[in-house]
Amino acid sequence: MPELVLIVLCVVGAFALGMRRAPLWAWVLGFAAAMLIWQSGALHGEPHALAPGWVGTAGWGLAAVLAAVCVPAIRRTLLVQPLFQLVKRILPRVSETERAALDAGTIGFDAELFSGQPDWGKLRAVPPITLTEEEKAFLEGPTNELCRMVNDWTIRHNDKEIPQEVWDFVKRHGFLGMLISKEHGGLGFSPQAQSLILGRIGSRSPDVCTIVMVPNSLGPGELIEKYGTPEQKEHYLPRLARGLEVPCFSLTGPTSGSDAATMRDVGYVERGTHEGKELVGIRLSWEKRYITLGPNATLVGLAFRVFDPDNLLGKGEDRGITVALVPADHPGVEIGRRHLPSGAAFPNGPNWGRDVFIPIDWVIGGEAMVGQGWRMLMECLAAGRSISLPSSAAAGAKSLLRNTSAYARIRKQFDLPIGRMEGLEEPLARMVENAYVNEAARGVTASMVSRGEKPSVISAIMKYQTTERMRRSLNDAMDLHGGRGVCDGPSNYLQAAYQMMPVAITVEGANILTRSLITFAQGALRSHPYLYKEIQACQDADDERGLAAFEQAFADHVSFTVSNLAGALFHNLTGGWFGRVPEKAYGTAEWYRQLWRSSRSFALVADLSVAVLGGGLKTKQKITGRLADALSELYLLSCVLKRYEDDGKPVGDRHIVALCARNGLHRFQEALRGTIDNFPSLPVRWLMRLAAFPLGARYRPAPDWLGHKCVELVLAPGEVRDRLTRYIYVSDNPNDPTGLLEVTFAKAVAAEAAEKKLDRAVRQGRVRRVHGTDWVGEAAKIGVISDEEAHLLSEVEALTARVIAVDHFDPAEVKPHYMTPGHNARAVQSAAAE
Ligand SMILES: Cc1cc2nc3c(=O)[nH]c(=O)nc-3n(C[C@H](O)[C@H](O)[C@H](O)COP(=O)(O)OP(=O)(O)OC[C@H]3O[C@@H](n4cnc5c(N)ncnc54)[C@H](O)[C@@H]3O)c2cc1C
């Protein structure tokens, strides 16, 4: 029995030392103290010390080894030095392009999640959504006006082109220069404002959103603003801001898609003639494809690899990736042909050129920036990726929810609004969750970017998670609408998004790559507290300095791992009860506790994965993909809690937050479980499972009743529904397909009581509801409903008939124009092959 007490004390002591990240000497002292107590006879009243058995010998031997490791000289010679050499061999090598990506962005709240002990203060320090008066006026003024003037069907189907009046409007109002500073003639709006403006336009027309998004994302405007020479800024920025130049950004080519850094587009530095003057320039040959705005562009931001064979610039031959500004009408530039991406109407197409000579000062930033292109792109990517697609994906999830919930309330089958059927409640609940989560993450991340962060790992999470969630909402919306969603036409408000969704999934880092390679693999290097320091130490050209840096980072890393092991086990055994909760977390304390607990488990599994897989991490993409999912769930739930607090914890949103939290934690658990179950090393798998799931997988998805409560909130007009779908464009025009939904929805809910009376009368056979009869009038005549109710019901019936109507066409009207006699569309697959 006394031995049992000692064992318990030792376990508690080990937990305490581990979780507090005690130094090694504290472990040695603790261990020696336990040995002494055991052997001194204090437990039995008779001395054991003089007769140590083999266990005692082994114990003191271990204590001696640990004590020796505490001596710096011994530690370095016997442990750190050999380890340094071993780790050098197994750690992933970081290439130049990877290093540029890693050094480019900033580390933010992602590092807190990787630490296993998130500092909630840092999350709360992110400002809530704020706009200046000017930004608010722009959102409510020109942005709404633009939304009102857009007819998505005409754009997508009839014209297959953005109308000139839309181009003129966006240019006139400065939409194309939102990120260009006021100093240079742009609007100089914050990323938060840009995100909301893009989202509102996106909720109306993905095509129009694209033509506004691209000039405000990674491309000439941003690159010139950040790296341009004074002359480039002065010349181009005011012209771009006013739309006198239409930019495009050409990075992707036939052989370099996801792996853009391997581009074959090349420029040789040489002397040449430009406008009659002899000067140093670059002779370019390239082939690019998929370039958005390309066919309409006047200014091409072109990425290519530069070689300087005669060392004219004095910095060696292979200068690396460079970005230049090439006017689209420059001799030799071939541009204007179009791709046809997924039924979209925004301009997109290839461009190419052979032996095109440009002056060296067309390089963005001039001669000094030759070879700096990749760094520039990576630096801008993190911010842009946080804003553009997450804005439209958040707006998409919100407008899909608003329109689909209205339709689900209006459309009846089996005498019941379809949204009230349990089978449809499930997808609707998912849509509620996606709308809340996407907007929460969008708002928090845009605020981070607005205060100067360039969160590379978070931007990757945002890109793949928000677009995937929007894709799920779209599929759910289509299922809910049945045939009404499938048949295209001017009254179909789903098809544009449905057709364009794959574009959002593919661009700015295709989602599979972003999930399985970029998020975790880059995150582990970037956001892990010690890994990148160890790698940098191993790659240090100065061996002595590298060893010293490695020793420090390694010692910290070991105590981090031990702390995670103890912490994860402790918090999982105690159900997260002792997880750290920030101040005033009324109503959210439980979710903070569980987030803390989960972050502990994530830190442990992530850390062991990196340590064991080392350089193999990049190829174990099923593992890294699941870890990316786990990390994403932690980040998204943090954003959900932050949004709820920033909104003043509205009572009506309580159930929605619980829905998001329960499902998020469950998905986190499954991602972690999948990682552990498939981890290639058995002992490590066992250790991970012990610490992360000592009592099994305990999180369950949100129960059905919770989903039901959340869906009820969106099946009637009200503040919760409005908050869930805030910032999107909402039409009140009954001649607009979504405006018609809004008007009908409000009236259908108002007529619910009267409708029930009518339905009952129909069931009882007192009123016959068939074509050719006035069943509402009949019901009023026999006193089932009042005249007022009859009036309202007739109105609802007429409006509903329009809502559920599906467009049909004369066959001649829908014949594709390329089938008209005399028309001959000649498709070309490769520009270079021509
Ligand atoms: C409509 C549209 C607009 C675009 N606009 C522009 C533009 O304006 N400017 C520009 O420069 N580019 C643009 N792009 C290019 C876009 O960024 C690329 O399509 C994208 O980078 C993917 O390249 P890819 O299509 O060649 O696919 P691939 O690189 O061939 O990838 C195919 C699949 O393999 C996956 N994959 C590839 N490598 C890995 C890996 N290592 N690990 C895991 N998965 C991997 C990808 O995720 C993808 O699912 C546009 C593309 C489209 C379709």
Side-chain angles (χ1 to χ4, degrees):
M1 192 62 184
E3 268 97 348
L4 191 66
V5 173
L6 183 61
I7 289 170
V8 170
L9 283 176
C10 285
V11 170
V12 171
F15 266 118
L17 288 173
M19 285 171 65
R20 301 204 68 81
R21 303 185 63 176
L24 186 57
W25 58 261
W27 284 89
V28 175
L29 285 183
F31 189 66
M35 289 293 294
L36 278 175
I37 294 170
W38 177 61
Q39 291 188 314
S40 67
L43 298 176
H44 297 278
E46 54 187 70
H48 278 230
L50 299 176
W54 68 269
V55 178
T57 313
W60 283 114
L62 180 62
V65 170
L66 290 176
V69 174
C70 289
V71 181
I74 300 178
R75 181 173 63 228
R76 186 173 268 216
T77 315
L78 295 182
L79 184 70
V80 180
Q81 181 72 267
L83 254 174
F84 183 54
Q85 298 307 331
L86 176 76
V87 173
K88 265 183 161 188
R89 282 201 303 276
I90 61 166
L91 267 186
R93 277 213 72 77
V94 180
S95 66
E96 276 309 305
T97 46
E98 279 174 313
R99 190 187 294 274
L102 286 170
D103 292 341
T106 54
I107 311 166
F109 191 67
D110 43 325
E112 296 300 315
L113 297 170
F114 259 92
S115 76
Q117 306 185 54
D119 177 351
W120 301 127
K122 288 193 178 158
L123 180 68
R124 286 184 161 182
V126 177
I129 298 168
T130 31
L131 298 184
T132 63
E133 288 307 315
E134 189 193 351
E135 289 166 344
K136 277 185 210 157
F138 194 87
L139 188 63
E140 300 310 325
T143 311
N144 276 352
E145 210 179 321
L146 175 63
C147 291
R148 263 192 300 273
M149 72 194 278
V150 166
N151 182 332
D152 200 46
W153 170 253
T154 311
I155 292 176
R156 273 191 310 119
H157 185 266
N158 294 355
D159 299 348
K160 287 235 169 279
E161 184 58 272
I162 306 290
Q164 193 54 44
E165 52 160 352
V166 170
W167 273 112
D168 292 345
F169 186 89
V170 296
K171 287 177 181 179
R172 194 167 60 248
H173 287 275
F175 279 91
L176 305 188
M178 291 194 291
L179 65 59
I180 294 175
S181 59
K182 283 195 161 40
E183 183 196 344
H184 293 115
L187 293 175
F189 283 171
S190 67
Q192 183 69 262
Q194 292 175 43
S195 158
L196 289 173
I197 293 164
L198 288 174
R200 184 160 296 179
I201 305 170
S203 68
R204 188 66 171 160
S205 161
D207 283 294
V208 177
C209 181
T210 304
I211 66 158
V212 175
M213 181 191 289
V214 167
N216 286 295
S217 188
L218 179 57
E222 188 177 14
L223 295 171
I224 299 172
E225 180 80 43
K226 292 216 168 96
Y227 310 99
T229 60
E231 296 75 33
Q232 288 168 342
K233 287 183 184 176
E234 218 166 283
H235 177 73
Y236 281 119
L237 290 178
R239 294 177 61 74
L240 286 164
R242 276 181 285 145
L244 299 176
E245 300 278 1
V246 174
C248 69
F249 182 59
S250 295
L251 176 66
T252 308
T255 54
S256 49
S258 301
D259 195 7
T262 58
M263 67 185 72
R264 297 175 186 180
D265 312 295
V266 68
Y268 295 99
V269 179
E270 58 186 37
R271 293 195 166 277
T273 311
H274 176 69
E275 292 179 347
K277 278 193 219 147
E278 198 187 306
L279 39 76
V280 173
I282 303 175
R283 182 168 50 84
L284 289 169
S285 291
W286 77 95
E287 184 184 358
K288 303 288 189 185
R289 67 177 182 186
Y290 304 144
I291 309 307
T292 303
L293 300 193
N296 291 38
T298 58
L299 185 65
V300 182
L302 189 68
F304 50 91
R305 183 172 287 280
V306 168
F307 291 93
D308 184 5
D310 302 326
N311 204 14
L312 291 177
L313 305 180
K315 290 188 179 165
E317 186 180 355
D318 186 354
R319 296 298 308 279
I321 292 171
T322 301
V323 186
L325 297 165
V326 184
D329 60 1
H330 186 58
V333 177
E334 300 289 344
I335 196 163
R337 290 186 67 82
R338 292 179 73 138
H339 297 305
L340 300 175
S342 291
F346 67 82
N348 181 282
N351 64 72
W352 65 95
R354 285 284 167 273
D355 295 328
V356 177
F357 185 77
I358 63 163
I360 198 92
D361 57 11
W362 285 9
V363 170
I364 298 182
E367 187 184 320
M369 294 304 271
V370 171
Q372 298 298 310
W374 195 251
R375 183 176 65 77
M376 285 158 51
L377 300 186
M378 290 301 111
E379 281 175 1
C380 295
L381 178 69
R385 196 167 54 184
S386 303
I387 300 299
S388 28
L389 287 162
S391 310
S392 45
K398 288 183 288 182
S399 50
L400 285 165
L401 173 66
R402 190 165 184 106
N403 295 337
T404 306
S405 55
Y407 184 80
R409 176 64 192 75
I410 297 165
R411 172 69 170 165
K412 284 173 129 191
Q413 288 293 280
F414 304 96
D415 273 344
L416 206 61
I418 56 170
R420 295 247 163 86
M421 299 172 187
E422 282 209 359
L424 286 97
E425 215 172 68
E426 264 189 315
L428 269 174
R430 274 198 297 270
M431 294 180 74
V432 170
E433 185 187 338
N434 286 338
Y436 194 90
V437 173
N438 269 13
E439 169 58 16
R442 183 212 62 78
V444 175
T445 311
S447 289
M448 288 173 178
V449 179
S450 293
R451 67 172 188 176
E453 290 186 42
K454 293 180 222 152
S456 45
V457 176
I458 288 176
S459 72
I461 291 176
M462 289 298 292
K463 197 273 150 168
Y464 95 84
Q465 281 287 339
T466 55
T467 51
E468 288 298 338
R469 278 162 200 256
M470 182 183 164
R471 171 151 71 175
R472 260 173 263 151
S473 284
L474 252 174
N475 286 339
D476 285 335
M478 289 294 277
D479 291 352
L480 262 140
H481 279 78
R484 174 76 177 79
V486 173
C487 297
D488 204 0
S491 66
N492 189 319
Y493 39 82
L494 296 178
Q495 277 291 322
Y498 191 71
Q499 289 176 25
M500 285 271 279
M501 197 65 236
V503 175
I505 300 287
T506 303
V507 299
E508 286 198 17
N511 278 10
I512 296 179
L513 167 95
T514 306
R515 170 181 179 261
S516 55
L517 187 71
I518 294 177
T519 306
F520 183 76
Q522 201 178 71
L525 287 175
R526 200 73 178 101
S527 317
H528 187 290
Y530 306 109
L531 185 66
Y532 196 38
K533 288 183 191 153
E534 288 165 338
I535 292 181
Q536 281 174 319
C538 288
Q539 293 192 350
D540 197 325
D542 181 337
D543 228 37
E544 259 311 293
R545 192 176 53 199
L547 180 64
F550 178 81
E551 185 170 12
Q552 183 57 53
F554 183 72
D556 291 341
H557 193 160
V558 170
S559 81
F560 173 69
T561 307
V562 173
S563 147
N564 283 334
L565 198 57
L569 186 57
F570 174 76
H571 287 291
N572 285 311
L573 282 173
T574 52
W577 188 251
F578 299 99
R580 199 174 292 164
V581 173
E583 275 178 10
K584 297 186 184 151
Y586 316 120
T588 46
E590 176 57 8
W591 308 129
Y592 275 113
R593 276 193 208 104
Q594 296 308 329
L595 253 181
W596 176 274
R597 168 189 178 186
S598 302
S599 168
R600 275 297 215 187
S601 301
F602 173 77
L604 173 79
V605 175
D607 185 36
L608 288 178
S609 301
V610 171
V612 175
L613 298 177
L617 200 64
K618 284 183 198 165
T619 56
K620 289 281 170 209
Q621 294 190 347
K622 291 178 194 161
I623 296 287
T624 52
R626 289 188 182 101
L627 284 167
D629 291 343
L631 175 65
S632 303
E633 294 298 345
L634 297 182
Y635 178 67
L636 296 175
L637 181 50
S638 306
C639 292
V640 164
L641 299 183
K642 164 101 177 107
R643 168 186 173 169
Y644 183 53
E645 287 176 355
D646 286 351
D647 286 354
K649 298 187 184 170
V651 182
D653 291 4
R654 204 165 33 103
H655 285 317
I656 301 172
V657 171
L659 179 85
C660 300
R662 282 178 187 275
N663 285 339
L665 287 167
H666 179 254
R667 281 190 299 267
F668 165 82
Q669 168 186 282
E670 295 308 297
L672 211 64
R673 222 148 64 108
T675 307
I676 297 173
D677 288 350
N678 293 285
F679 202 78
S681 156
L682 183 66
V684 179
R685 197 186 312 155
W686 180 83
L687 188 65
M688 287 174 171
R689 198 173 286 140
L690 173 78
F693 297 109
L695 303 175
R698 313 295 291 178
Y699 293 134
R700 296 284 171 269
D704 290 350
W705 68 262
L706 194 54
H708 171 74
K709 291 256 175 230
C710 294
V711 171
E712 266 188 340
L713 294 167
V714 293
L715 287 181
E719 51 150 347
V720 180
R721 185 169 193 274
D722 287 343
R723 209 168 24 248
L724 262 172
T725 57
R726 64 189 178 191
Y727 303 129
I728 60 168
Y729 179 74
V730 178
S731 168
D732 56 4
N733 175 3
N735 293 321
D736 177 279
T738 54
L740 176 66
L741 266 179
E742 291 289 326
V743 173
T744 313
F745 175 60
K747 289 200 188 280
V749 172
E752 192 163 291
E755 207 169 10
K756 275 189 182 146
K757 291 183 205 167
L758 176 66
D759 286 347
R760 203 176 312 126
V762 171
R763 272 199 307 276
Q764 290 166 349
R766 297 170 66 199
V767 176
R768 192 175 295 170
R769 191 157 49 189
V770 289
H771 287 304
T773 57
D774 173 15
W775 54 86
V776 174
E778 225 178 277
K781 207 155 62 193
I782 60 170
V784 169
I785 49 174
S786 67
D787 287 345
E788 249 173 57
E789 286 174 325
H791 179 72
L792 182 60
L793 275 179
S794 300
E795 230 185 326
V796 171
E797 294 255 352
L799 288 166
T800 301
R802 287 175 60 203
V803 165
I804 64 169
V806 168
D807 302 297
H808 45 84
F809 305 86
D810 185 298
E813 279 178 80
V814 286
K815 204 172 205 176
H817 71 276
Y818 52 79
M819 286 175 69
T820 50
H823 189 93
N824 181 19
R826 199 173 69 92
V828 173
Q829 281 190 325
S830 163
E834 277 296 289

